[in-house]
Every structure is written in structure tokens, then in C-alpha cells.
């Protein structure tokens, strides 16, 4: 509005125009204030949530270090819940759980005498930690490769487990349940698969896998294998049901 336009207005029109201007200024100031308040609230929420997650993480670590198996089991479940609630903490939780498994699982036997002293199956808290390590992550969660090399994991339950890039070199997976497991890129060099159920498992890009290992497995029905071993006639015969 020019000065001439303003002069042409009567008193009532001028008052109305001033009122509208003041209202517009108030609305702008209110909007800016609301934006600042919202930003501050969001920042406070993030800091509070981060503090809560850190507190839960610390308590879960304390449980994992307990001498009581049932308390350690509670720590595993608490760590898994943290991953579900805060996917950005997935890598940290996975590293902790992997270290927990390596500490509490037995080492694979290097002699027949050692083999006679090994457990029939993993302890419950080790089994639960493995399950938590290998389940499908929430959207937005990442995954670090699981390291189970040279561990004794006979009869472990890893149905539908996600073992992409897992290090299984020299591990004992005798009679393990690996139905539907996904082992793309996993290192299976020297892994003992005797009696393992590989029904529907995806080993299409597994490393170090041999015909001898597969022929010792319990089931290969529907298993996806690298072309080099799938071409073996004895292996191929076990990939489909017998008529």
C-alpha cells in the first residue's frame, strides 16, 4: 500500500488495516515460537530416550555378567528387546551378544577325548543369545557378521536364522536344526554338519563348502547350494524328495 492509498482511507479503514497488520505480526511470532518450542521438545525427547536406552543397555550388561544362568537369560532377552525398540543400537547389542556366546559356549573338540567331555546341546542362555543374534532385524536395523568359528554348537536350533557372512569355520553343528536358514556368504570351511537338518536352507554363496560335508548332513531337501557342489550326483540326488 502506497502513502497515497493510505491517505485515501478513512479512520475506520485505517484502524482495520492496522489491526490486520498487528494480527499478522502476532501470528508470525507465534509460529516462530511454536517452531522453536517444537525443536526444543524434540531434542529433549531424543536426549531422554537416549538416556533411557543407555540405562537399559547398562542393566542388560549387568545381567549378562551374572553367575546365575537364569539372570544371564534375562539379560539376553533384555538386550533383544533393546534392539526391537531401538534398531540403531542393533550393532552394539549384536557385538555384546556375540561376545557372550563366545564366552559361554564350549570350544569345538580337537580330539576324541575332548569330544566325550562336551555337552549334548548348548545351555539355554547360549541358545537364546544365538536366536536373538540371528533373527530378522527390525526395519532400519543393521547386521554385523556373527562369529561362531570353532565353537561346539551341537543340536543348536537355528531355524530361519539369518547367518549372512557368518564365520563358522571349524564349528561343530552336528544334528543342528538349520531349516530355512540363510547362510549367504558364510564361511563353512571345516564346519561339522553331520546330521544337520538343512531343509530349505540357502547356502547358495557359502564359502568353503564341500561335497563331503553335505553328504554327512541329515537333510538337504530344497537346499540351495553353490553350483560347484550342487553338480555332484550324490548331492543332487538328496536335494529333491524320493519318488
Amino acid at each position: 500500500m502506497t502513502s497515497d492509498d493510505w491517505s485515501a482511507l478513512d479512520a475506520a479503514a485505517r484502524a482495520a488495516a492496522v489491526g490486520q497488520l498487528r494480527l499478522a505480526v502476532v501470528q508470525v511470532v507465534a509460529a516462530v515460537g511454536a517452531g522453536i518450542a517444537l525443536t526444543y521438545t524434540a531434542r529433549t525427547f531424543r536426549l531422554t530416550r537416549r538416556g533411557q536406552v543407555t540405562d537399559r543397555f547398562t542393566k542388560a550388561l549387568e545381567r549378562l555378567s551374572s553367575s546365575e544362568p537364569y539372570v544371564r537369560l534375562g539379560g539376553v532377552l533384555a538386550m533383544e528387546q533393546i534392539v526391537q525398540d531401538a534398531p540403531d543400537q542393533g550393532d552394539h547389542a549384536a557385538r555384546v551378544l556375540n561376545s557372550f556366546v563366545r564366552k559361554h559356549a564350549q570350544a569345538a573338540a580337537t580330539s576324541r577325548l575332548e569330544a566325550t567331555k562336551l555337552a549334548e546341546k548348548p545351555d539355554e542362555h547360549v541358545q537364546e543369545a544365538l536366536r536373538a543374534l540371528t533373527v530378522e532385524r527390525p526395519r532400519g536395523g543393521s547386521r554385523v557378521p556373527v562369529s561362531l568359528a570353532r565353537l561346539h554348537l551341537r543340536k543348536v536350533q537355528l531355524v530361519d536364522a539369518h547367518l549372512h557372512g557368518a564365520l563358522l569355520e571349524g564349528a561343530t553343528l552336528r544334528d543342528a536344526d538349520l531349516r530355512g536358514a540363510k547362510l549367504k556368504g558364510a564361511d563353512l570351511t571345516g564346519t561339522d554338519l553331520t546330521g544337520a537338518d538343512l531343509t530349505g536352507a540357502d547356502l547358495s554363496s557359502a564359502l568353503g563348502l564341500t561335497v563331503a560335508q553335505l553328504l554327512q548332513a541329515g537333510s538337504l531337501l530344497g537346499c540351495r547350494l553353490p553350483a560347484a557342489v550342487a553338480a555332484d550326483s550324490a548331492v543332487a540326488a538328496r536335494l529333491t524328495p524320493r519318488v
Side-chain angles (χ1 to χ4, degrees), residues 4-22:
D4 292 337
D5 294 332
W6 178 258
S7 300
L9 296 176
D10 57 26
R14 289 181 181 180
V18 170
Q20 291 176 349
L21 178 61
R22 289 175 176 172

Side-chain angles (χ1 to χ4, degrees), residues 49 56 79-87 132 135-138:
R49 183 173 178 274
R56 289 170 61 189
M79 195 66 72
E80 181 182 16
Q81 190 60 52
I82 290 173
V83 177
Q84 298 296 325
D85 297 341
V135 296
E136 187 173 4
R137 291 280 179 82

